[in-house]
Every structure is written in C-alpha cells, then in structure tokens.
Amino acid sequence: MTNTVDSRPRILLFVEDEPDIVELYKIAFEAEGFVVESAVNGQDALDKLKQYSIEDVSRPTVMILDILLPDISGMDILKEVRKNKLFDNTPVIMFTNYSSDKIREEIAQIPNARYLLKMEVSPAQLVSIIKEMLGMK
Amino acid sequence: MGYIIIVLIMELMALNGQNLISIISVIVGVTTFLLGLFVFLADRKGLINQVFFVLTLNTVLWIGTVLVAVSFGDRETVLLFRRLAFAAASFIAFFIYYFSYLFPKPNEQYKFPLLAGIILTTLIAAMNIFTDYTLKDIGLSNGVQSNVYGPGYYIFIIYFFGALFVGVANFLGKRKQMNELELVQIRLVLTGLVVSGVLAASTNLILPKLLETYSTGQLGPLTVSVFIILSTYAILRHHLFDIGVVVVELLTSTMWLFILFRLMVDNSLQGRIMDFILLVITIFFGALLIRSVNKEVKQREKVERLANDLEVANEKLESLDVARREFLSFASHQLKTPMTVIKGYATLATDPVYLNSPEKMKQIAEKIVFSTDQMYRLISNFLDVRAIEEGKMSFIFKPTDLVRLASSLVEDAKSYASKKNLKLELASVLPSIIISADETKLRQAVQNLIDNAVKYTDEGFVRVEVKDEKNYALLLVTDSGKGMSTEAKEHLFEQFFRDGRTAKAQGTGLGLYIAKEIVKAHKGEIWADSLGEGKGSKFTVKLPKEHEGSN
C-alpha cells in the first residue's frame, strides 16, 4: 500500500482560555505538522464552529476542548459539535484539570470522544493519542 | 384565694334560685365585658383585638337582653327584649366568624366578605327586631310561658349554625401554618366558642321550641362562662393576646379591693380581724404571683430573642463554611494550570530535539521559571485571602510617600509596557505626598492596579496620577484598554471574578479583592469607572492621610 500524503494541512481546533497552556501544547502540535486554530472562550469556539460550516472552508479534523471556560462549559461546546453533521464523528478530546466521575460518565456515552487530565498527559503523549484517534502512524 | 371562693359560694347559695342565676349572669356579663376590654386596651389598633372586643360587647348585650326579658312581666317588654336578644345573637354569630378568620393570622385562602357579612347580619337582625317572622309572639298556656316562632326562626338557625360552622372550618384550615403555641390557643378559644355557642343555642333557641317553654332561656348567659373560663385560661397560661400579666394584676387587684370592701362593710370585730388577716395574706401572695408571672414573661421573651440570634448566627456560619469550601476547591484547581505548564515544558526538555539546542533549552527554562513564579503568586494570594477572612492580616502604618511609591511601581512596569508599545506615565503636581500607610501592602494593591491596566490595554496609554486633597490623597490609574461593562463593574472586586468576555486568564482573580481589603484597612475607598467595553477604565484609590491605627 502506498503512502498517500494529504496535501491539505491538518487543522486542530484547541479551545483553551489559559494562554500559557495554549503556547505549550501548540509547540508539540505544530512540531507534528498540525495547524493550530485556537479559541479563548466558549463564544469564540462557537463562532468558529459556525464559520467552519460555510462551504469550501478548511475544517479541523480533531478538536481539543477545555471544560472550565470563563463563559460556558466545554461540555456544552461538545454537544454543539456533535449536533453539527460535519463534526458528528470528529475525534474530540476533553482536555482539562477538572476531575469528575460524572463528566467521565457523560463523555463515555459520546462516540469518538475522550476525557484526559492535563496534569497526567504531557504534550508528547497528547500528540500520540491524537494520532491514534486519527488512525495515523 | 380558695377561702374567698368558698365564702362566695356559701353566700350565693343563701339566695334563692332565680336570683342566683341572675346574679351569676351579671357576673358573667361583667367578666365578659372586662375580658373584651382588657384585650382591646392591650392593642387598640389591632384588628383582632377590636373584633374580639366587639364580639364580647355583643355577648354582653345578649346577656343583658335575656336578663331583662327574664326579669320583667309584661308581654310587650318581654317580646321586644327577646327579639333584641335574637338580633344580638345574629351579630355574635357574625363576629365569631370574623374572629375565626382573623385569629391568629388572617386566612390566606380568601378575603373576608366584610361588607356582605355586615349587610346580611344587619338584615337578619332587622328581621328579628322589626318583624314577627322570627319571634311571632309570647304565648301563655297553663301558666307556662313559651315562644311562638315564625319562618324566620329557621332562617336564623341556619344563619347562626352556618356562621359557627364556617368559623370552625376557618380555624381548622389554618392549623398547618400555626406553631405549637398558636395551636393550643386556637384549641382553647375554639372549644370555648363552640361549646358556649352550642349550649346557648340549645338553651335559648332549640329547647324552647322543642319543650315549648322558655324556662331554659335564663340559663343562656351561664353558658357563656365556658368561653370565659377557657379564654381566661388561654390568657393566663398560654399567652393569648399577650395580656397574661395584665389580667393577673387586675384579678389580684380586684381580689384585694373585694376584701377591702368587705373589711369596711363588715359589722363584727371578729369578721373584720378575719378580713384583715385575709387581706394581708392575699396582698403578700398576690404580689408574689404578679412578680413570678412578670419574670416568666421576661424569660420567655429573652429565650425567643436568643433562639433567633442563634438561628441567624448559624446561617452565617453555614454560608461562611460553604464559601470557604468553594474557595478551597477553586483555589486548588487554579494551581493546576501553572503546574501543567511546568511539567509540560519539563517533559519537552527530555526530547532530543530540545536537548540539543541550548537556545530552546533556555526558552524552556524561562517558561518554567515564569510558571513557578505564577504558582508562587497564586499561593501568596490565597494565603492573603485566608488571612483577610480570618481577620489576621496585620498592618503597620508609617508615614509613606505616595508619590515615591507610585513612581517606583511605574518604573517597574515600564519594560512590560514598552513590550506592548504602550505609553506609561506618572503625573503628580507635588513631588511628594505623605500618608499613613503600610508600604508593602499598599504597594501590592497599587501594583495590582497598574499590572491590570497594562495587561488589559493592547494599544494606547496607562496613566498613573497622584493628587493631594487636603485630608486625602488620591491615586488614579487610567488606561485606554478593554474597559468593562456595567455588569462587570458590580462584581469587579469579588473573589475569583473574571468577566467572561474581556477577561484574560493568567490572573488569580483575587488581586482586586485583596487590593480592596488593603485599601479598606487603610480606611480608604477604591472604585472603578468605565465608559463601557472597549472604552478604557479608570481606577481611583482614595486614602486618608491620617487615621486611627496609624502611629
């Protein structure tokens, strides 16, 4: 089987309000060849989702969402993402420091979504999990 | 007291039956009147008290008309007064109903039909007095006096028992909202009203018709005594109308007056000596009784107040506890961010890509240092907040030059500001303004304001001004930055507040809260102004030059 190289850049949507965290993981994502689009709060993320629904625009193939955002919960954004036909099976990682069994349960019910704690996952580990979810080597 | 009652009973038994009943009726009448009067005087403006008083007045009226009807012989007078008795009874029924609606608190389910009730009652009373529908005539057969009733009689019965029934229903319907004390009071009053009402209706309304003689009618006034006794008991023992003390005082005074009267009226020396001894004994015990009742009332009031205070204090403690738990949980969470960054960069450093580049390693090290500082700031702020909340933050006030403090902070912020291409300047008319302040703490507060101004301004300027106002000094930090909404302004100085729309993370959310507490400890004021989002902000700090607590 020949390796087909996708010529379009792989876009990753990173919704996170702490700029230091964005900067840290961006280094790892970009080193792996991802183009990182970031949103600093819930409203920003929802606006971006609307933009992606426009015809002929490049869309993210994977999304990393924080849960505790200043305006709304990342879980609400997750619901919006899955409601959208374009993203109903896009890999989503709920990436947070907020540990909750209730949320773990909720996410377990959603297909192709994972729940990871920031303190437990280094940038390199996150990248390899993303690759796994995208079926990449 | 017991001796007096025995003497009274013996004297009463000496009288013949008819007079005995009349005398007791008069006593019941007077007592009813006094009872209503006491209740009214206790609170002249209270609706319940007024209605109770009117109820007793109508009862006294009824007793009076029955007495007159019994005492006189001619048919005209007897007929008139028995009809008046019916009228008085109509109003008694109405006011029992009204009282049941008001006591102890008005029924919430409906509004009292005052006007309709008065009209209906007046109509029925008029029917009783001016027509012969109710009481047609007085008959005399075989020397036995009897009443001849008309159709109005049945209307009156329906009305009377109807009012009584609705009254009872009112009381019963309120039971759920009543506390223990009110329930006891209701039970006593209700029993009194119902028993007296039903007995009086039997002796004066039903039996005369059934037995065809009015002879039972004279017992009517006596039946009121049930209501009197139960109400008095409720007043003395269960704080009904809260006139317990008054009633005890009046009862004992009456007793003293009575003995005094007997003393003066008595003919025999032996009698007088007995009366005198009795007077002394009753004055002694009476005074003790009054004192003990007074003390009991005061105790009860004190306990009520304390119980209330305790409840309030408990609620306060609970909400403080909740606030503390939430603080702890949120604060711990916030520490995870810089920790994540430190760990993240540290793991990056193990990657050969970075290990082999001194430039990259230096950057990583700087990031780690920066985040460590951030953690330190977070923890310091948390400790400050804990100290503030426990009242343990100490201040040492010394003469401090506010201008020098401001200018040194402006110097420190210059490099941060120039990186963002902002104009940062200090303006002060005077070269120095001395105020009484804790320099370290005040520095912390002002530094927070300046740092915020630079952080939230992406282009333009940040200006720090220091002004002298005789007894006060003013420090203003103005910027051309993100500004704030009116909503944000309200919560600005609260713990962990971050305006969702314009806030940048990285702050602790506690800086302004701590700044405000520091300014308050300096007996100063701090407030923020902004024309709106995107229109810049101005923070003003007003500090007295001298205050208590300063050296």
Side-chain angles (χ1 to χ4, degrees):
Chain A
M1 210 144 128
T2 49
N3 276 343
T4 46
V5 175
D6 195 332
S7 55
R8 276 190 316 179
R10 287 167 305 175
I11 300 180
L12 179 153
L13 177 64
F14 191 15
V15 181
E16 166 62 60
D17 62 329
E18 294 276 359
D20 294 329
I21 305 249
V22 174
E23 207 182 319
L24 169 68
Y25 287 91
K26 209 167 160 185
I27 295 176
F29 295 149
E30 286 175 347
E32 200 61 38
F34 284 100
V35 169
V36 178
E37 300 206 347
S38 64
V40 300
N41 58 45
Q43 194 51 52
D44 206 0
L46 293 173
D47 291 341
K48 286 212 155 58
L49 282 178
K50 267 201 208 90
Q51 281 180 349
Y52 294 141
S53 306
I54 303 173
E55 277 264 354
D56 225 28
V57 77
S58 299
R59 301 187 184 103
T61 53
V62 61
M63 299 185 186
I64 319 290
L65 308 180
D66 189 7
I67 293 185
L68 290 180
L69 294 164
D71 47 357
I72 60 178
S73 164
M75 297 302 287
D76 292 332
I77 301 179
L78 175 58
K79 292 194 181 84
E80 279 305 306
V81 167
R82 281 292 183 257
K83 258 195 229 163
N84 191 326
K85 282 204 96 176
L86 296 166
F87 300 118
D88 64 1
N89 205 35
T90 306
V92 176
I93 295 178
M94 300 311 291
F95 198 47
T96 181
N97 268 323
Y98 180 60
S99 176
S100 150
D101 289 330
K102 189 164 150 242
I103 294 203
R104 191 182 304 275
E105 274 306 305
E106 262 185 77
I107 294 173
Q109 308 296 325
I110 302 177
N112 223 3
R114 289 188 65 163
Y115 178 51
L116 297 175
L117 295 178
K118 289 176 195 163
M119 270 305 283
E120 292 172 1
V121 176
S122 71
Q125 287 168 327
L126 182 59
V127 165
S128 81
I129 292 174
I130 291 173
K131 280 162 74 169
E132 191 194 311
M133 287 178 89
L134 284 174
M136 291 158 53
K137 289 221 195 56
Chain B
M1 319 299 167
Y3 173 73
I4 298 172
I5 295 176
I6 293 173
V7 165
L8 267 174
I9 292 178
M10 288 194 337
E11 288 181 359
L12 282 171
M13 294 209 297
L15 301 165
N16 69 43
Q18 180 84 354
N19 282 349
L20 180 63
I21 292 180
S22 299
I23 289 181
I24 297 184
S25 302
V26 170
I27 294 176
V28 170
V30 170
T31 318
T32 310
F33 173 72
L34 285 177
L35 189 68
L37 188 65
F38 295 166
V39 170
F40 176 61
L41 291 177
D43 182 5
R44 266 172 271 192
K45 298 226 177 81
L47 187 57
I48 293 185
N49 303 58
Q50 291 167 353
V51 168
F52 187 81
F53 185 41
V54 173
L55 175 60
T56 52
L57 284 179
N58 276 309
T59 310
V60 173
L61 194 65
W62 178 74
I63 293 177
T65 53
V66 169
L67 271 175
V68 170
V70 159
S71 316
F72 279 74
D74 66 297
R75 192 178 140 276
E76 291 299 316
T77 320
V78 173
L79 187 61
L80 174 64
F81 275 86
R82 285 194 191 164
R83 282 182 175 162
L84 284 172
F86 268 105
S90 317
F91 279 100
I92 290 178
F94 174 68
F95 282 104
I96 289 182
Y97 171 42
Y98 198 9
F99 184 72
S100 76
Y101 175 81
L102 292 173
F103 183 81
K105 289 184 198 96
N107 276 47
E108 285 165 21
Q109 286 97 347
Y110 66 100
K111 200 168 165 239
F112 187 75
L114 183 60
L115 193 59
I118 295 257
I119 292 177
L120 178 63
T121 310
T122 313
L123 283 175
I124 292 197
M127 173 184 78
N128 292 334
I129 299 177
F130 300 115
T131 71
D132 62 354
Y133 289 156
T134 315
L135 184 56
K136 225 194 236 164
D137 205 352
I138 309 287
L140 203 58
S141 49
N142 304 339
V144 171
Q145 212 192 57
S146 68
N147 285 347
V148 180
Y149 298 103
Y153 171 79
Y154 299 100
I155 296 178
F156 179 78
I157 286 200
I158 293 174
Y159 175 78
F160 185 82
F161 282 102
L164 213 59
F165 183 73
V166 182
V168 173
N170 263 351
F171 274 126
L172 294 179
K174 288 194 253 203
R175 270 180 311 174
K176 287 207 186 70
Q177 312 140 27
M178 298 300 125
N179 61 41
E180 261 184 69
L181 181 67
E182 287 167 336
L183 280 173
V184 171
Q185 291 176 350
I186 285 185
R187 249 177 254 142
L188 287 166
V189 169
L190 187 57
T191 312
L193 284 172
V194 168
V195 171
S196 287
V198 168
L199 281 178
S202 312
T203 56
N204 288 53
L205 200 56
I206 302 188
L207 285 178
K209 176 128 170 95
L210 289 177
L211 301 177
E212 291 191 359
T213 165
Y214 194 65
S215 50
T216 53
Q218 55 182 325
L219 294 175
L222 304 188
T223 64
V224 176
S225 58
V226 176
F227 170 66
I228 300 299
I229 292 172
L230 290 177
S231 299
T232 307
Y233 179 70
I235 286 175
L236 291 176
R237 269 311 220 95
H238 295 283
H239 310 289
L240 183 64
F241 298 123
D242 267 320
I243 56 174
V245 180
V246 172
V247 169
V248 168
E249 288 173 341
L250 275 152
L251 279 177
T252 34
S253 318
T254 314
M255 196 158 317
W256 293 336
L257 286 170
F258 181 72
I259 300 177
L260 199 60
F261 178 69
R262 281 176 54 90
L263 179 65
M264 295 191 291
V265 152
D266 208 321
N267 288 324
S268 70
L269 180 62
Q270 190 189 25
R272 283 195 174 178
I273 293 177
M274 289 294 284
D275 290 333
F276 182 72
I277 295 175
L278 202 62
L279 187 64
V280 169
I281 295 176
T282 51
I283 287 182
F284 179 67
F285 285 108
L288 279 180
L289 178 66
I290 292 176
R291 249 197 30 190
S292 90
V293 170
N294 255 325
K295 214 161 60 150
E296 195 213 306
V297 169
K298 289 220 171 55
Q299 288 271 57
R300 181 179 62 104
E301 285 173 356
K302 188 171 172 195
V303 170
E304 261 178 44
R305 266 199 310 266
L306 284 175
N308 225 23
D309 288 345
L310 190 64
E311 218 186 300
V312 168
N314 266 351
E315 277 172 16
K316 222 183 264 184
L317 269 176
E318 253 195 73
S319 70
L320 270 178
D321 200 37
V322 166
R324 188 176 307 160
R325 267 184 276 133
E326 284 179 357
F327 175 85
L328 193 62
S329 142
F330 196 73
S332 325
H333 178 85
Q334 286 217 291
L335 282 173
K336 291 185 193 173
T337 299
M339 266 199 265
T340 307
V341 173
I342 292 170
K343 183 180 173 189
Y345 281 111
T347 63
L348 280 184
T350 62
D351 189 316
V353 174
Y354 295 91
L355 276 174
N356 293 328
S357 160
E359 184 57 43
K360 287 209 167 101
M361 286 301 279
K362 180 160 176 259
Q363 283 176 343
I364 287 177
E366 280 169 358
K367 296 276 188 213
I368 292 178
V369 167
F370 181 81
S371 284
T372 313
D373 281 338
Q374 196 192 0
M375 273 184 77
Y376 174 71
R377 268 196 306 271
L378 267 175
I379 295 175
S380 299
N381 276 358
F382 295 158
L383 291 174
D384 280 346
V385 170
R386 290 310 314 137
I388 288 171
E389 290 189 338
E390 284 172 23
K392 294 204 182 114
M393 188 174 246
S394 64
F395 291 82
I396 301 174
F397 296 107
K398 295 202 180 110
T400 312
D401 186 348
L402 191 59
V403 179
R404 193 169 53 87
L405 187 148
S407 100
S408 122
L409 286 172
V410 165
E411 274 308 304
D412 290 347
K414 275 231 152 68
S415 67
Y416 183 18
S418 70
K419 272 200 205 127
K420 293 178 82 172
N421 263 322
L422 301 174
K423 182 166 168 222
L424 171 63
E425 60 186 9
L426 170 71
S428 171
V429 176
L430 297 173
S432 86
I433 298 172
I434 309 292
I435 64 171
S436 176
D438 180 322
E439 177 155 5
T440 320
K441 302 252 168 42
L442 189 59
R443 239 188 118 82
Q444 185 180 346
V446 178
Q447 182 172 35
N448 182 267
L449 295 180
I450 298 178
D451 284 350
N452 276 353
V454 177
K455 183 158 85 155
Y456 286 89
T457 307
D458 292 324
E459 56 176 4
F461 68 91
V462 172
R463 179 169 58 241
V464 180
E465 288 171 79
V466 190
K467 293 188 182 158
D468 187 315
E469 295 244 329
K470 216 157 97 180
N471 294 329
Y472 289 92
L474 287 176
L475 188 145
L476 299 97
V477 180
T478 319
D479 66 62
S480 61
K482 285 197 149 67
M484 62 193 98
S485 59
T486 7
E487 222 192 297
K489 234 194 294 185
E490 268 181 57
H491 301 287
L492 210 52
F493 295 95
E494 289 170 16
Q495 288 185 19
F496 298 130
F497 175 73
R498 280 206 208 148
D499 185 346
R501 284 157 300 168
T502 62
K504 288 188 184 174
Q506 264 187 339
T508 57
L510 294 171
L512 282 177
Y513 170 79
I514 295 174
K516 182 168 179 177
E517 293 297 317
I518 290 175
V519 169
K520 266 162 65 178
H522 283 72
K523 302 286 190 283
E525 290 170 52
I526 180 172
W527 66 91
D529 293 299
S530 171
L531 290 169
E533 281 183 37
K535 298 191 182 141
S537 330
K538 180 168 86 170
F539 282 77
T540 314
V541 181
K542 183 175 170 187
L543 297 161
K545 290 189 182 166
E546 290 291 329
H547 53 94
E548 325 98 56
S550 55
N551 293 324

